[in-house]
Amino acid sequence: MELYYNYFDEVDSTNTRLKEAVKKGALEGTVYSAGRQTDGRGRSGHVWESPEDESISTSLLLYPDELSAEETALLTPLAALAVCDAIEDLYGMPTQIKWVNDVLVNEKKVSGILTEQLLTEDGRRAVIVGIGINVFQKDFPTEIEAIATSIALEAEKIGALAGERLKTKLKKEERRKEQEELIKGLWKSFIRYYEILMGKRTLGFIRGKYNAKLINRGKRCMVMDPNGTYQCEALGIDGMGRLCIRMDDGEEKAIDSGEVSVRGIYGYV
Ligand code: BTN
C-alpha cells in the first residue's frame, strides 16, 4: 500500500482531521501527523496531551473491506507491535505491551493508540488508527507522572545508542527529522502486518510476538468489568486479540477490550 504523508504544525486532533478528510473522499494510506494537538483524544474519553514538538501524533486512514466491524479491533494490537518495532529499530530500546495497546518502556507508558471507525457516504467502513508517542518530554502532569514516560527520559537511563541520538538532536528541525523517521518506521512496519492480516483475518501470525511482549502475561491482574472488579491470572491474547485469563476457581475464559480493562493489582501494571 502506498502511504501519503501530510504534516501540520498544529491541529485539534489528527484523528478528527482525518475523519473530516474521509467525508471529502480521502485515499486509503493517507497519514496526518502534527507537531501539536490542541484537542488530542485518548481511549475512554481521556485527553491525550501532545505538547509542541515533544511527541508524535500521527493517524492513518484505512478502508479494510476484507474485515468485519468486529475484526477491525485487530488493527489496534497490530499498531502496538508496529510502535514497538519502530522504537526498537531506531533506538535499540526494549519495549513491552500492556493489553491491549499501551506500549511501555521500563514498565511506563510511552505510546497510546486510538482506533476509530466511521462509514463513508456510500457505506464503506473507514478506520482511522491514531498513535501518540512521547518522544522528548522531560516531565509529565502530576496525574500521569507515575505511569508515563518518554523515549528521551528512558534513553537517559539506558544510555547507549538511544541516548546518543536524542541527546545530540534537540534543535527544532532535528526533532522534526527524528519524529519523521519514527513515524515512517512505524507505519512501514504496520503496513507489513496489515497486508498479512487482510489475508488471514486473525492475529495468529503475530500472537507469539505480541505475547512475548505482554507485560500482563503470567501476572495477577485486576479486571475492571462493568459488572464488578475481580482478580485473575493473565495468560496471553488469542487470535481475536482477546485476553485469555485464568480465574481463581481454575476456569479459563477470554475477555474483550471493548468491554473490560485490565491493570496490575498494585497499580498500572
Ligand atoms: C490512549 O492511550 O488513550 C490513546 C491515545 C491516542 C493518541 C493519539 S495521538 C494521534 C491521534 N489523535 C488523537 O486525538 N488521538 C490519537
Side-chain angles (χ1 to χ4, degrees):
M1 180 193 305
E2 196 152 345
L3 295 178
Y4 309 99
Y5 287 97
N6 300 269
Y7 182 85
F8 306 92
D9 285 329
E10 181 179 301
V11 291
D12 48 0
S13 149
T14 49
N15 269 31
T16 309
R17 285 301 105 228
L18 211 37
K19 275 188 188 169
E20 290 301 317
V22 168
K23 292 182 197 152
K24 295 182 189 138
L27 292 176
E28 177 163 66
T30 301
V31 176
Y32 280 3
S33 307
R36 175 167 182 249
Q37 295 186 120
T38 52
D39 188 21
R41 296 182 288 107
R43 295 180 72 214
S44 317
H46 289 128
V47 169
W48 179 262
E49 298 287 344
S50 330
E52 189 172 354
D53 298 325
E54 298 276 332
S55 62
I56 278 175
S57 307
T58 185
S59 304
L60 166 69
L61 170 61
L62 300 165
Y63 295 106
D65 297 328
E66 294 85 344
L67 302 182
S68 66
E70 293 76 48
E71 286 166 346
T72 58
L74 304 180
L75 298 172
T76 313
L78 281 197
L81 262 192
V83 171
C84 292
D85 288 348
I87 294 177
E88 289 181 9
D89 289 352
L90 214 51
Y91 302 111
M93 195 179 260
T95 53
Q96 300 150 310
I97 297 173
K98 177 179 171 292
W99 186 75
V100 57
N101 57 7
D102 287 354
V103 175
L104 320 182
V105 175
N106 286 330
E107 305 200 351
K108 285 182 154 191
K109 178 164 170 173
V110 283
S111 170
I113 297 156
L114 177 66
T115 304
E116 298 183 290
Q117 32 178 312
L118 68 155
L119 289 180
T120 62
E121 266 176 17
D122 51 4
R124 203 172 177 202
R125 187 175 308 106
V127 176
I128 291 160
V129 181
I131 298 182
I133 307 180
N134 300 326
V135 184
F136 295 107
Q137 288 100 317
K138 288 289 162 85
D139 40 50
F140 288 89
T142 348
E143 320 83 78
I144 55 168
E145 70 183 354
I147 61 161
T149 193
S150 68
I151 294 177
L153 273 177
E154 296 310 312
E156 275 177 14
K157 293 184 203 156
I158 298 172
L161 170 68
E164 285 314 302
R165 283 185 73 109
L166 294 178
K167 266 186 216 152
T168 54
K169 294 195 171 183
L170 285 173
K171 285 191 208 128
K172 189 178 167 107
E173 58 279 15
E174 287 167 336
R175 284 183 175 215
R176 182 72 56 80
K177 203 160 165 271
E178 195 71 39
Q179 290 166 326
E180 202 179 300
E181 230 179 300
L182 195 47
I183 289 170
K184 290 201 166 148
L186 80 86
W187 289 130
K188 189 172 161 209
S189 167
F190 178 84
I191 292 302
R192 244 192 345 250
Y193 293 131
Y194 177 73
E195 288 177 344
I196 301 174
L197 180 72
M198 287 303 102
K200 298 195 181 283
R201 298 171 57 197
T202 141
L203 294 179
F205 71 105
I206 49 112
R207 197 154 72 109
K209 191 170 173 184
Y210 183 99
N211 282 338
K213 292 195 163 295
L214 190 63
I215 195 150
N216 317 85
R217 194 174 194 197
K219 284 196 185 158
R220 284 197 71 73
C221 293
M222 195 77 94
V223 179
M224 331 290 254
D225 189 300
N227 301 318
T229 296
Y230 57 89
Q231 288 191 20
C232 64
E233 185 192 344
L235 304 174
I237 60 159
D238 66 9
M240 289 310 291
R242 293 173 303 197
L243 185 67
C244 302
I245 58 169
R246 185 179 299 120
M247 319 270 279
D248 287 345
D249 62 4
E251 187 200 337
E252 291 182 13
K253 65 174 184 178
I255 55 177
D256 193 304
S257 65
E259 290 148 20
V260 299
S261 66
V262 163
R263 64 168 178 80
I265 50 172
Y266 299 115
Y268 179 53
V269 291

